[in-house]
Amino acid sequence: MIWLALPVAVAVALGTAFLILRVAKGWRVLRGDLRRLACGDIAIAESQPDSWPFAKTRADLLRIAGHLRQLDRQVADEGLSLRTILSSMKEGILIVNRERRITLVNDALCSQFPEIKSPLGRPVLEVFRRHELEQAASAVLDGGRIRRLEMSFPQPAPALPRQFDVHVAPLLVSPGSPAQAVLAVFQDVTEVRTLEAARREFVANVSHEFRTPLTIINGYVETLLDGTDDDPAMVGLSLQAIHRNVQRLALLIDDLLTISSFEGRARLLECRKTDLQRTFESVVENFRPDIESRSALVEVDWNPGVRHAEADQRRMEQVFSNLLENALRYVETGEPRISVQAEPDGDGLLFSISDNGPGIPYEDQAHIFERFYRVRKDRARDAGGTGLGLSIVKNIVLAHGGTVLLESTPGNGATFRIRMPIRQKTGPTGK
Ligand code: ADP
């Protein structure tokens, strides 16, 4: 029996050793996977050696790793979408944490505030230097509702301040939980506000311009209604005044219509080969009575090389008319001396008209082409101007692809220079 016990014992020992080795090997595989998972390595390969007797536990582990991989992909996809959304937004985005420090900015915010360098991790107050922004962030973090701010950021002259509509909202992990951070959305409304202000100013100016002649007409009509039978001279005077003011209203409406035809879709020119010199001469003829009554001298030096250009003849007539009329109108003392020149300038022509009038004060020169801008308001209005003449000139010249500028030394006359292309880019039929 003893001879049998030895081999059995050996076999049992070998079997046990084999079993221990297999269990140890399986355990090593399992422990290796667990360690990799603990270190964040979720790419556990499924083709690992056999992990018996822990095969089922390892299969569970592989399934957990699979779920984690899926979650990881989902988070990466969402992160990518979020980054894409943030970088393609035209609104600036800013996230501020509970410590009032900036944790995220998007590309739009960086271009809205190019002066701000490395804002991440810095206190919002230090970066923007605006208490109202920090206060809004604090109020929202302390459980307040969404805040809306209008913020204006001054710019170095001559740029206008930039206006922003800023919405500050809480970032909540779950509904009802305290805000972990705040999201501020910066919308640049500078252009909208500028347009709104220009529109308000335009409406106010138009109303004012209409009210003056209407008040005068009303006054004279009331006088006539009250009965002036016994004073025919008064009737005549009243009718003349009414006539003058009706003409003024008509002129104003004409100018407004011209201006509006250059805005929006109606910016049409009928460009064809035009004899600009002839056009100017016909304008001078129209003003002949005025020129003679003022004993004005109009000298024209037109280079024959730039006699013709592709232009809208009717509009150019208006340009020349407005400039000549101003030159005659604003030379207050003595005889007006007006000199006109047209000469080649590269592929265009340079037209200039100079007078010996009072010129234009330096502080007014930047505004002279604005609608309704007048240097000496009452005097200009009394002189019959609408304040729209130069704005019309500018609109017409720009529509032709040209430029207009003023040179004036106050007290020493004014020169308006127009540079026009000889050919229109879109051809002679219009643009
Ligand atoms: P208006 O119809 O009142 O003349 P404009 O737009 O043509 O309006 O001109 C704006 C203002 O510019 C005028 O009110 C006047 O004060 C000034 N101005 C225009 N042309 C001249 C000029 N040649 N000399 C002096 N001032 C001028």
Side-chain angles (χ1 to χ4, degrees), residues 34 37 42 44 57-71:
L34 272 169
L37 204 59
I42 51 176
I44 305 172
T57 311
R58 185 163 187 269
D60 288 343
L61 201 67
L62 290 180
R63 259 199 304 281
I64 291 172
H67 287 312
L68 286 175
R69 275 199 299 276
Q70 203 178 334
L71 264 176

Side-chain angles (χ1 to χ4, degrees), residues 326 329-330 355 359-360 368 373-375 380 385-390:
N326 279 352
R329 180 186 288 158
Y330 295 111
D355 62 54
I360 293 163
I368 207 78
Y373 194 85
R374 294 178 175 115
V375 175
T386 58
L388 295 170
L390 289 178

Side-chain angles (χ1 to χ4, degrees), residues 152-344:
S152 174
F153 291 85
Q155 299 299 299
L160 293 171
R162 274 176 310 151
Q163 312 278 340
F164 288 91
D165 245 1
V166 185
H167 283 253
V168 185
L171 278 180
L172 307 171
V173 176
S174 57
S177 64
Q180 294 308 304
V182 290
L183 170 78
V185 181
F186 284 69
Q187 192 181 3
D188 190 338
V189 291
T190 314
E191 207 173 309
V192 180
R193 296 285 181 272
T194 312
L195 284 174
E196 281 170 1
R199 203 198 56 223
R200 272 198 303 276
E201 194 188 323
F202 183 67
V203 170
N205 279 328
V206 170
S207 318
H208 179 76
E209 293 300 323
F210 273 81
R211 192 178 304 125
T212 313
L214 281 173
T215 310
I216 297 172
I217 292 170
N218 197 33
Y220 281 107
V221 168
E222 277 175 5
T223 310
L224 291 175
L225 285 174
D226 284 349
T228 46
D229 299 347
D230 49 345
D231 190 355
M234 187 60 203
V235 174
L237 266 176
S238 302
L239 287 175
Q240 272 171 17
I242 291 170
H243 185 226
R244 251 195 332 273
N245 283 282
V246 167
Q247 278 182 324
R248 184 166 165 67
L249 283 175
L251 184 70
L252 202 58
I253 289 169
D254 278 352
D255 280 358
L256 284 171
L257 286 176
T258 307
I259 295 234
S260 79
S261 76
F262 278 90
E263 287 171 354
R265 292 184 61 243
R267 198 180 302 178
L268 291 173
L269 290 179
E270 284 174 24
C271 287
R272 53 179 60 91
K273 189 175 175 190
T274 300
D275 185 337
L276 286 180
Q277 183 176 358
R278 177 75 212 104
T279 308
F280 184 76
E281 283 165 359
S282 72
V283 169
V284 175
E285 282 317 304
N286 292 344
F287 281 93
R288 186 60 63 200
D290 217 12
I291 291 172
E292 278 169 8
S293 73
R294 300 279 319 267
S295 306
L297 179 71
V298 182
E299 287 175 327
V300 182
D301 174 13
W302 203 294
N303 185 312
V306 287
R307 189 181 176 116
H308 297 96
E310 277 168 15
D312 184 322
Q313 202 227 329
R314 206 170 49 86
R315 300 291 195 189
M316 288 312 293
E317 207 174 290
Q318 198 165 6
V319 166
F320 295 148
S321 229
N322 289 1
L323 292 175
L324 185 61
E325 188 176 19
N326 279 352
L328 286 166
R329 180 186 288 158
Y330 295 111
V331 178
E332 290 159 350
T333 50
E335 291 159 0
R337 295 273 171 277
I338 298 166
S339 96
V340 174
Q341 255 198 339
E343 54 192 346

